[in-house]
Amino acid sequence: MSAQRSAENGGTSRVYQHRWTVRMHKVRQWYPSIQEHRVLWRGPYIKGLADAPFMVMEKAYVVD
């Protein structure tokens, strides 16, 4: 997903000023070929622009 959303597509323009860690979480991914949802685990990963400063939080996570 892009760090910016196009205002032309009805979204709001969003520019991140920092990076942060996204924790592991479950998502229900729709598979049209089999017409069902399947649970997938995503993360952990770093969100935000590559050249932005990293936001320090109370917890620290290691991401490989």
Side-chain angles (χ1 to χ4, degrees), residues 49-63:
L49 300 174
D51 60 345
F54 195 76
M55 186 169 74
V56 178
M57 298 171 35
E58 293 180 20
K59 295 182 181 180
Y61 299 94
V62 176
V63 179

Side-chain angles (χ1 to χ4, degrees), residues 32-48:
S33 60
I34 57 176
Q35 294 292 303
E36 70 178 33
H37 285 95
R38 291 203 176 161
V39 175
L40 298 176
W41 285 91
R42 293 202 178 135
Y45 58 92
I46 304 293
K47 180 93 178 190

Side-chain angles (χ1 to χ4, degrees), residues 5-11:
R5 294 184 183 184
S6 173
E8 299 167 358
N9 295 337

